[in-house]
Amino acid sequence: DIQMTQSPSSLSASVGDRVSITCRASQSIGTYLNWYQQKPGKAPKLLIRAASSLQSGVPSGFSGSGSGTEFTLTIRSLQPEDFATYYCQQSYSPPYTFGQGTKLEIK
Amino acid sequence: QVQLMQSGAEVKKAGASVKVSCKASGYIFTNYYMHWVRQAPGQGLEWMGVINSSGGTTTYAQKFQGRVTMTRDTSTSTAYMELSSLRSEDTAVYYCARGEEHAFDIWGQGTMVTVSS
């Protein structure tokens, strides 16, 4: 199975800050990497697909980059509604594993 | 609009089975795969498997092989996930999610399954 490792596991930041979350795959997955946002008690929401393609309706302040084994999710200027948990996921081969999550909290 | 509506919360005894439904609307059901993902309390997301909504073929995570069965009814645009031999570690929220271009773009609201001993 492909292991996905996110860092950091948690992050404190302020409104307006720029933050980045890293996701590493245990083997090369090309650009078969997705990012999801999850708020408490809610289902995950797709933000970024194929490493860098912004899902329709997602604010342009979110961006993704990377290929192979290292990927980054960047939030350009944190808004109050962005405080949530973020997961990466590989869709290269089943089982389609997720990272352990990064909890983004208000400082 | 496009949505997935899941069945309600379940409480089961250890050793029993549970069957969760996921009714799709707003799109052509057979044009998309349906994935199942679970999340134990306070934990991360775990992919369980996928069903081809058109042909009915399935791929399961090895962890669940032999215990999980995914089916679909194209006449009602509904996907099902049945998990048997339940144990306490299966207590989780179970989600269905539409597979579209290698990503999960639409998710159900989740179904809480509680397993008691």
Side-chain angles (χ1 to χ4, degrees):
Chain A
D1 297 359
I2 299 173
Q3 306 304 315
M4 306 301 293
T5 304
Q6 289 180 231
S7 60
S9 295
S10 63
L11 178 58
S12 293
S14 301
V15 172
D17 284 353
R18 176 188 175 97
V19 299
S20 293
I21 299 168
T22 297
C23 178
R24 289 185 172 87
S26 60
Q27 66 181 73
S28 179
I29 58 171
T31 58
Y32 289 93
L33 189 284
N34 306 311
W35 290 98
Y36 300 86
Q37 176 194 67
Q38 187 179 33
K39 296 182 178 179
K42 299 294 188 181
K45 172 187 174 182
L46 178 63
L47 298 177
I48 302 280
R49 63 165 73 231
S52 60
S53 295
L54 195 67
Q55 178 68 1
S56 175
V58 174
S60 59
F62 289 90
S63 64
S65 64
S67 66
T69 61
E70 188 155 335
F71 303 86
T72 302
L73 172 70
T74 299
I75 309 173
R76 186 175 59 207
S77 176
L78 277 172
Q79 301 302 303
E81 59 270 23
D82 298 334
F83 292 92
T85 300
Y86 293 84
Y87 294 93
C88 63
Q89 179 215 18
Q90 64 84 13
S91 56
Y92 179 78
S93 66
Y96 298 121
T97 42
F98 292 86
Q100 81 279 16
T102 295
K103 187 172 184 179
L104 180 53
E105 298 175 304
I106 300 176
K107 184 183 288 183
Chain B
Q1 75 279 24
V2 176
Q3 64 179 358
L4 301 174
M5 189 60 64
Q6 297 185 223
S7 49
E10 302 265 11
V11 178
K12 296 290 183 181
K13 293 282 192 184
S17 297
V18 68
K19 191 171 186 177
V20 179
S21 67
C22 171
K23 183 172 177 59
S25 60
Y27 70 95
I28 299 173
F29 178 72
T30 50
N31 283 359
Y32 297 84
Y33 286 67
M34 192 71 76
H35 297 261
W36 290 88
V37 176
R38 77 177 187 179
Q39 186 170 39
Q43 302 302 307
L45 301 168
E46 182 176 32
W47 183 81
M48 299 180 68
V50 59
I51 184 166
N52 179 331
S53 303
S54 178
T57 55
T58 54
T59 300
Y60 301 139
Q62 188 168 8
K63 174 177 179 176
F64 301 102
Q65 285 276 3
R67 281 209 305 145
V68 71
T69 305
M70 295 177 187
T71 56
R72 91 281 185 240
D73 181 344
T74 57
S75 69
T76 60
S77 299
T78 303
Y80 299 92
M81 186 284 300
E82 184 170 21
L83 189 61
S84 63
S85 302
L86 290 169
R87 36 215 190 219
S88 58
E89 312 89 88
D90 295 318
T91 293
V93 176
Y94 290 77
Y95 294 102
C96 58
R98 188 178 80 165
E100 196 265 339
E101 292 291 333
H102 300 282
F104 302 173
D105 67 334
I106 305 295
W107 293 65
Q109 82 276 21
T111 296
M112 182 70 212
V113 175
T114 302
V115 181
S116 64
S117 52

